[in-house]
Amino acid sequence: MSHSSYARMWATAHGALQDLLLDEFPPVAPGPQRDRLQVFQGLAAFYLKYLQIFRSLEAAYDQLVHPQKRRAARHVLDGVMGRLLELRNQMVELEFSEFHYFDDVLLDLKMTPEDLEIPIPRYFVREKMQVLKDRERMLAHILAKGGLIEQEPALSVQTMCVEEAVRVLQVCERARQGRLRAQFMKEIRQAERDGLGKSRTPSTLSPDRAATRIQKVWRGYSQRKKTNRERIEEMIFLGMLPAEASGPSAAQLRARQVETGRRLVQEQNEAEYQRALLNIKQSVRAVEGPDMRETLQEQIRQWFIECRDATGKFPDFPDAEDGGSASIFAEKTPEQVAAELAAKEEEKEKKRKSKGKKEKRGGKDKKKDKKGRSKGKKGKEEPEKEEETGWTMPPSSFLPTVVEGAKMYRDVWRSRDESQNFLQRFDAQLVREEKRLEVEEEVRVQVDELMRQELRSLKLVVDRDKGKKKKKAKKGSKKKKKKSKKSSKKKKKKERDLTADRSIESLYEELILEGFLIRPMNVKISDYIGEYSYLGSTLRQADVEPMPSLSDVRQLIALWGILPLGSQSVHEKAPAVKAMLLAGPAGVGKKMLVHAVCTETGANLFNLSPGNLTGKYPGRTGLQYLLHMVFKVARQLQPSVIWIGDAEKTFYKKVPKTEKEMEPKRLKKDLPKALKTLKPEDRVLVLGTSRRPFDAELKPFCKVYRKIVLIPRPDYASRLVLWRELLRGGGAEPGPGLDLSSLAKITDGYTQGHILRAVRSVLRPRRLTRLAAKPLSASEFVPPLARLDPVFREEEEAFKMWYSKTPLGKRKARAAKTMEEEAAEKGKGKDKTGRGPKKSKDDKSKTKKKKTTKKKK
């Protein structure tokens, strides 16, 4: 595609974004909504539209060559990414579930389930490719230095005794003689056949009949071949047979070459742009800097004179914190500026007086607060009920970023003529405007210092004001400095650095040699195979909670694991997810997802599993030192993933006797404290994996892992895709004779790991060489599957029960209970009338009999 094609894609994405922003900010603000289904459909529509825009912006940003356009696209791309996370978080709070189903909204927007896949921005890895290569080189060097790389063993020469050597020679010689004898007998039989053929009488067919017979045989063969090919094509078209995996076409190869070429042009244009930033800034500073300085000085002096004429004295110069001289020329008259400065001084004096009064009345206020609280406890329920009027859209942290990016595109790029910029190089005019503002700010700071001194000298000469107020301000500033010093001392005490005397390189090397920093496997999130569940919405409408599909799991990991780790701006403002737990049976791909998060974001992988901690850094102090070292290196070399395998062992209810020596609960007390040290700007994610989460104490376990993703065994659709893709990956193309549907049916209850093991046990190198002569059949996979234990229904129910006891599961159960109660109350209200329900004749006769019996008594 050309430059204009990607520019049109960028423009189309901004057009859709502009329409969406009109829906986000309607002219009349909507009131609180009570209907949860309507609210969810509105959020889902916003989510899907933002997802489409995100996909278009990511594709455009990856291939745009203009460096300034790329920055504008990146600004909006990060904002849209964050807005996606916000909307998904609101859906979780609304439905009390991590998994959502958008079947109805997909139909309305004419989208397919493939449009739900979260695209992973390619700049996560590509823009720091050199850093990743250097890190890989350093990791390999440290491993080789420590002798931890497995080297290929040298070929050893085997010796044998004389008797064994003679026996080997005899076997080889006898085999040679046998082959010769067999070849001799074969030649004899062939000669006998040739002799019998010559003795037969030759056929007396005419040339026409012989040609007809040859045509008959050839036409039959060609027609059978053509019919078979058409039948297979029809079956593939109907989806009854898998399509043949063909290599990339010439057009696809050409498109890939164009993409790589555009990336090279991107790097060249970016390097040229960086050089231009320095050169243009220097030229602006040299040419326009002196004029800026003179004009600013003249304007500030004129302001001095105007304030002197208006108020009778020289004004106070604004501090650097208040903006300096920039606040003077914010379209205000000298009287307004002087009034504002006087108002600020009065406020400061009032604050000082109010502080003294508060200190005196502190004890009285506390007593009053206690009384007020005790009185207010009784009356708390009524206002809370009044406040619960419905759902409203909470404020967004990313919408201002999106609006700003859309405005920048509308003002700068939409109507800009780029027809003469064939090579898509930077725009020098825009760079000069940006650098002019930077130079002006730098000059303003210098001029402010000079004008403060000039104003001070003017006051001494004209007003004879020695600046008593300034002394007071200085005293106040000294107090502030003392307070800041005290606060900094307190902070230093809290954030005690146990490795202050060591460099990051030495800590990095130690963690590698001890086995805590490992090399992640090169797998992508797209390699986690799974199909979309088409029954999710139907089951939920029938009040049945469906098990999530593997496609839903893949989307969740991409949303909460990959997107925040890959972008710094998104991680700082997005809903905080410091720790995430992946729970599910053995073999569902939990470890693979951990490695996929590291691969897609270029993150470091730390292994703090209980099995890896055994015998290392003993004692409480040793563990604290290790955690401090891991989290320090993870913050310095972010993004980072800290993986804790078998996470339930850290919070065991009761440690088994066989694992007591391993001390699996070492991290129980120190891990929550380490998580509290993580700040929003730290791109560090703790990922735990668990096969038996129900063995852990629920409260501390869920306190650490706030985000829990339950990974089920694959359903039929996912198993069908798994069989096909794993067979192709093993080197065997599934043909028409292989019944994949039956294989997917009989493997109900088996996980991805079980299916992979069965495929590997069948597709041995010898079997792969015989595929042409003997195609694969479904019966070959039954014996290896029979030797494996599937996930039984009881284990799956145990996972469901455990998940229902988690905080999110409890909230969902409470919400369902309240909805049932409300429905029951509505049903009772419909049955009731003004005087109560009407009595039948039998009821009236019974009441009369009761009255007569009472009178007789």
Side-chain angles (χ1 to χ4, degrees), residues 300 304 315-328 444-459 470:
I300 293 170
F304 289 165
D316 293 329
F317 203 89
D319 297 330
E321 298 174 356
D322 299 331
S325 59
S327 61
I328 297 172
R444 186 183 296 279
V445 173
Q446 298 171 3
V447 170
D448 286 356
E449 289 297 324
L450 293 173
M451 299 312 292
R452 282 193 187 95
Q453 295 175 5
E454 187 174 335
L455 180 63
R456 201 176 296 120
S457 62
L458 282 170
K459 284 184 176 181
K470 289 189 177 181

Side-chain angles (χ1 to χ4, degrees), residues 363-528:
K364 295 179 181 179
D365 292 339
K366 287 179 182 177
K367 290 178 183 178
K368 288 179 181 179
D369 291 339
K370 287 180 181 177
K371 290 178 182 178
R373 285 173 189 170
S374 62
K375 289 178 182 177
K377 283 180 183 177
K378 296 178 182 178
K380 267 186 180 179
E381 296 177 359
E382 293 178 2
E384 282 182 1
K385 288 179 181 177
E386 290 175 4
E387 287 177 3
E388 292 177 2
T389 54
W391 183 90
T392 54
M393 181 76 80
S396 170
S397 302
F398 291 96
L399 274 179
T401 306
V402 176
V403 171
E404 182 186 353
K407 185 177 182 299
M408 185 192 301
Y409 174 81
R410 196 168 55 249
D411 296 343
V412 177
W413 296 108
R414 187 169 66 180
S415 58
R416 201 171 197 84
D417 185 14
E418 289 282 322
S419 59
Q420 300 301 320
N421 192 5
F422 301 110
L423 299 178
Q424 288 292 294
R425 289 177 177 168
F426 68 94
D427 193 325
Q429 182 183 354
L430 289 176
V431 176
R432 191 170 293 278
E433 290 174 2
E434 292 175 8
K435 294 305 169 185
R436 187 178 288 113
L437 294 175
E438 292 181 12
V439 171
E440 186 177 352
E441 191 62 33
E442 292 174 3
V443 171
R444 186 183 296 279
V445 173
Q446 298 171 3
V447 170
D448 286 356
E449 289 297 324
L450 293 173
M451 299 312 292
R452 282 193 187 95
Q453 295 175 5
E454 187 174 335
L455 180 63
R456 201 176 296 120
S457 62
L458 282 170
K459 284 184 176 181
L460 287 172
V461 173
V462 181
D463 292 343
R464 303 294 180 184
D465 187 358
K466 296 182 179 179
K468 294 178 182 179
K469 294 180 181 179
K470 289 189 177 181
K471 287 183 180 178
K472 291 179 182 178
K474 286 181 181 177
K475 288 180 182 178
S477 64
K478 285 180 182 178
K479 289 179 182 179
K480 288 179 182 177
K481 286 180 182 176
K482 287 179 182 179
K483 288 180 181 179
S484 64
K485 285 180 182 177
K486 289 179 182 178
S487 62
S488 64
K489 286 180 182 177
K490 290 179 182 178
K491 287 180 182 177
K492 285 179 182 176
K493 286 181 181 178
K494 289 180 182 178
E495 299 174 2
R496 189 162 59 95
D497 193 354
L498 301 176
T499 57
D501 56 340
R502 296 186 59 183
S503 64
I504 292 295
E505 289 78 11
S506 65
L507 297 176
Y508 187 79
E509 184 176 353
E510 182 178 345
L511 289 172
I512 291 173
L513 294 176
E514 291 294 334
F516 292 108
L517 204 158
I518 60 177
R519 180 188 283 117
M521 294 186 295
N522 189 17
V523 291
K524 294 186 176 181
I525 194 69
S526 57
D527 297 334
Y528 189 75

